[in-house]
């Protein structure tokens, strides 16, 4: 039986601001766009629990937040700081297990099955992690402890902030019984409506349905719902371990020799690779370029950096260098690929200026990743990559 933890920081950005500005504590703090007295554009990143009592929440237009809570303290996000804190929190996770799967800047799954001999059982480890985060970062986290990811993720959310909810293996159905079906992973608004029409409002209601009936009604998803309703989820915690390289390729619809389009494609591929790296919590050192001409002759070139990186900019500037050195101008290209390997972590390396700049760019990447996750994959494509999209669309 696995022991899985889901750890999620409480009101993450806002809590960091309250920690660093004692005068903000106990007050409604709203991190996000400038409200400009109610006429501001942009959205709320997050807000303190005090602000949530006014109805303010993440992704709400900042103008609406201002209406609900004009007396709030409005703070612009400090991405660099939050990323640093995030890194330190993940270091705490790694003190307890290598099996850490980052989900976002402030949450992760941890498989602590093998850590129990050293650190105690699941709930004890959860308590220790919370304590370490409080001592080291002066912040609170909420933790769910359960036999699988699905249950752990629900559990961490139930007693926020500063929660610790344990789902023991023999109490799974009891735990799920009264939970609303909105907690059913994979059930969108429409599915929820359909379920409610059938009189299914809680996960317990759903669990009362036989597997066959759910299969009939929902096809493949029916089986999935059946499993979740009974708290069954076999997904493993995917740590960064074992991954040797990350790469993406693009094959052109028609062979391409326009250098600006080729470069823009490399940028878009770098963005994809960078995004995947950061999602997996990986940093690599060797950047790869793959280039296939129209006659299928293929070259691969790589360059090893003097430091590990997960930055889109760093990937792109390196791959661009490789491209400029190796591309025979004017020849038509069929396929381009960008990749990175030699994963590791920066430990005792001196912080060179170069690297400092790279880190700063990483903050931007991380914020863009959050946006991407919230608002769809295409929202923050850099301008150049956007241009290529437009151009391709026109072509069609
Ligand atoms: P969440 O963990 O979703 O939210 P939270 O930590 O602020 O609050 P909770 O106690 O409910 O977990 O997101 C983590 C951070 O990601 C959050 O502090 C700010 C950022 N974020 C955005 O910038 N935009 C968003 O729409 C969301 C949901 C989060
Ligand atoms: Mg959180």
């Amino acid at each position: 039986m696995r022991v899985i933890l889901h750890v999620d920081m409480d009101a993450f950005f806002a809590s960091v601001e309250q920690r660093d500005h004692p005068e903000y504590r106990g007050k409604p703090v709203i991190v996000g766009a400038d409200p400009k007295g109610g006429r501001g554009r942009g959205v709320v990143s997050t807000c303190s629990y005090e602000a949530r009592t006014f109805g303010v929440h993440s992704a709400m237009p900042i103008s609406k937040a201002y209406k609900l809570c004009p007396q709030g303290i409005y703070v612009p996000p400090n991405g660099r700081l939050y990323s640093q804190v995030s890194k330190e929190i993940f270091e705490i996770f790694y003190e307890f297990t290598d099996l850490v799967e980052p989900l976002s800047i402030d949450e992760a799954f941890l498989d602590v099955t093998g850590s129990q001999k050293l650190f105690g059982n699941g709930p004890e480890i959860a308590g220790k992690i919370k304590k370490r985060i409080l001592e080291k970062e002066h912040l609170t986290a909420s933790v769910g402890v359960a036999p699988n990811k699905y249950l752990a993720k629900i559990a961490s959310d139930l007693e926020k902030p500063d929660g610790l909810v344990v789902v023991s293996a023999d109490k799974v159905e009891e735990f799920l019984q009264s939970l609303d079906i909105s907690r059913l992973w994979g059930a969108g608004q429409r599915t929820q409506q359909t379920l409610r029409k059938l009189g299914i409002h809680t996960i317990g209601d759903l669990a009362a349905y036989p597997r066959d009936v759910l299969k009939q009604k929902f096809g493949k998803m029916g089986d999935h719902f059946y499993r979740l309703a009974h708290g069954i989820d076999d997904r493993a915690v995917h740590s960064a371990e074992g991954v040797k390289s990350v790469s993406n390729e693009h094959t052109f619809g028609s062979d391409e020799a326009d250098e600006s389009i080729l470069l823009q494609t490399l940028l878009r591929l770098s963005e994809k690779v960078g995004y995947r790296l950061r999602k997996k919590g990986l940093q690599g050192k060797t950047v790869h370029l793959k280039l296939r001409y129209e006659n299928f002759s293929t070259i691969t070139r790589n360059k090893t950096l003097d430091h590990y990186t997960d930055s889109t900019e760093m990937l792109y500037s390196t791959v661009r260098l490789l491209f400029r050195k190796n591309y025979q101008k004017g020849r038509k290209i069929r396929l381009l690929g960008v990749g990175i390997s030699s994963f590791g972590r920066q430990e005792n390396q001196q912080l060179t200026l170069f690297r400092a700049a790279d880190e700063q760019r990483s903050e931007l990447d991380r914020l863009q990743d959050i946006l991407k996750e919230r608002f769809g994959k295409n929202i923050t494509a850099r301008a150049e990559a956007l241009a290529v999209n437009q151009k391709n669309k026109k072509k069609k």
Side-chain angles (χ1 to χ4, degrees):
M1 181 73 68
R2 286 178 183 145
V3 181
I4 309 293
L5 268 50
H6 178 256
V7 186
D8 187 322
M9 300 301 294
D10 301 317
F12 185 46
F13 294 2
S15 302
V16 173
E17 296 298 338
Q18 286 182 320
R19 175 191 75 179
D20 294 353
H21 302 89
E23 68 276 20
Y24 294 173
R25 292 183 198 159
K27 303 222 165 95
V29 172
I30 294 140
V31 181
D34 182 351
K36 296 190 178 148
R39 283 170 315 186
R41 293 161 62 85
V43 294
V44 174
S45 292
T46 191
C47 60
S48 66
Y49 278 77
E50 293 84 353
R52 295 184 194 193
T53 61
F54 292 85
V56 179
H57 59 74
S58 289
M60 171 183 274
I62 200 79
S63 54
K64 184 167 178 201
Y66 192 81
K67 240 180 236 155
L68 292 170
C69 187
Q71 70 273 49
I73 301 169
Y74 289 82
V75 187
N78 181 348
R80 190 172 167 68
L81 171 64
Y82 311 144
S83 284
Q84 181 55 40
V85 177
S86 167
K87 243 183 232 170
E88 289 168 15
I89 288 160
F90 275 81
E91 274 164 23
I92 296 177
F93 299 160
Y94 286 109
E95 290 172 13
F96 293 89
T97 175
D98 289 332
L99 287 172
V100 177
E101 179 178 335
L103 290 181
S104 79
I105 191 165
D106 83 325
E107 66 181 300
F109 284 118
L110 281 66
D111 185 331
V112 296
T113 315
S115 316
Q116 297 177 96
K117 270 194 206 121
L118 273 172
F119 301 108
N121 62 24
E124 283 164 351
I125 296 175
K128 283 181 182 162
I129 290 176
K130 279 168 65 78
K131 189 159 170 262
R132 283 283 288 143
I133 294 176
L134 190 63
E135 281 169 2
K136 198 172 156 201
E137 302 296 332
H138 295 214
L139 292 169
T140 63
S142 294
V143 186
V145 186
N148 64 47
K149 282 170 143 184
Y150 174 61
L151 295 167
K153 171 113 175 148
I154 295 182
S156 72
D157 196 48
L158 287 181
E159 285 180 18
K160 263 182 168 294
D162 203 13
L164 171 54
V165 174
V166 181
V167 187
S168 54
D170 56 340
K171 300 229 165 72
V172 169
E173 304 238 345
E174 194 178 312
F175 169 78
L176 289 170
Q177 187 65 30
S178 58
L179 293 179
D180 190 83
I181 49 154
S182 56
R183 300 219 178 243
L184 204 62
W185 167 62
Q189 291 292 344
R190 209 178 291 163
T191 311
Q192 286 179 40
Q193 270 176 15
T194 314
L195 288 167
R196 286 186 205 284
K197 271 188 203 142
L198 291 167
I200 301 173
H201 298 283
T202 66
I203 299 193
D205 295 338
L206 187 64
Y209 273 74
R211 195 176 199 139
D212 295 345
V213 178
L214 290 176
K215 263 191 184 166
Q216 260 169 26
K217 285 195 195 305
F218 297 98
K220 238 185 174 176
M221 278 311 258
D223 214 35
H224 167 76
F225 290 155
Y226 175 87
R227 291 166 63 79
L228 291 188
H230 292 273
I232 305 164
D233 173 18
D234 313 321
R235 291 173 302 157
V237 170
H238 293 290
S239 71
E241 294 288 296
V243 184
K244 293 271 184 284
S245 71
V246 172
S247 63
N248 275 85
E249 295 183 351
H250 177 76
T251 306
F252 291 98
S254 55
D255 299 338
E256 190 62 70
D258 179 335
E259 218 174 307
S260 71
I261 291 188
L262 295 172
L263 285 173
Q264 285 156 4
T265 304
L266 288 177
L267 174 59
R268 220 178 47 207
L269 290 169
S270 305
E271 286 192 324
K272 279 191 186 160
V273 171
Y275 177 68
R276 285 172 57 205
L277 274 183
R278 296 186 293 274
K279 258 202 99 93
K280 289 180 196 287
L282 289 170
Q283 298 191 335
K285 226 176 178 176
T286 306
V287 178
H288 303 258
L289 167 73
K290 181 169 170 182
L291 194 159
R292 177 169 293 154
Y293 291 107
E294 57 183 335
N295 65 353
F296 276 86
S297 78
T298 305
I299 61 164
T300 53
R301 294 287 181 272
N302 65 67
K303 181 176 165 56
T304 299
L305 305 169
D306 70 349
H307 66 288
Y308 294 100
T309 189
D310 60 7
S311 140
T312 292
E313 302 284 345
M314 184 51 66
L315 272 167
Y316 176 58
S317 57
T318 310
V319 92
R320 188 178 52 196
L321 207 80
L322 288 169
F323 177 80
R324 292 234 155 99
K325 257 177 132 168
N326 295 287
Y327 173 54
Q328 297 171 328
K329 269 188 190 228
R331 277 188 77 180
K332 282 193 173 173
I333 285 186
R334 178 182 169 79
L335 173 148
L336 283 174
V338 172
I340 187 162
S341 63
S342 315
F343 298 128
R345 279 266 151 206
Q346 221 66 35
E347 291 298 346
N348 303 317
Q349 198 160 337
Q350 270 189 338
L351 190 77
T352 60
L353 269 180
F354 183 54
R355 177 160 155 65
D358 193 16
E359 282 218 327
Q360 215 153 23
R361 285 192 292 251
S362 285
E363 314 313 325
L364 183 71
D365 286 337
R366 265 178 248 281
L367 282 179
Q368 293 201 324
D369 292 347
I370 290 171
L371 284 174
K372 217 182 250 184
E373 267 156 34
R374 303 293 169 198
F375 304 110
K377 289 239 185 302
N378 296 322
I379 182 130
T380 63
R382 285 164 175 75
E384 275 184 68
L386 256 173
V388 81
N389 278 337
Q390 299 290 339
K391 234 175 177 169
N392 285 342
K393 263 183 209 150
K394 271 186 207 148
K395 271 188 176 170
K396 276 177 198 160

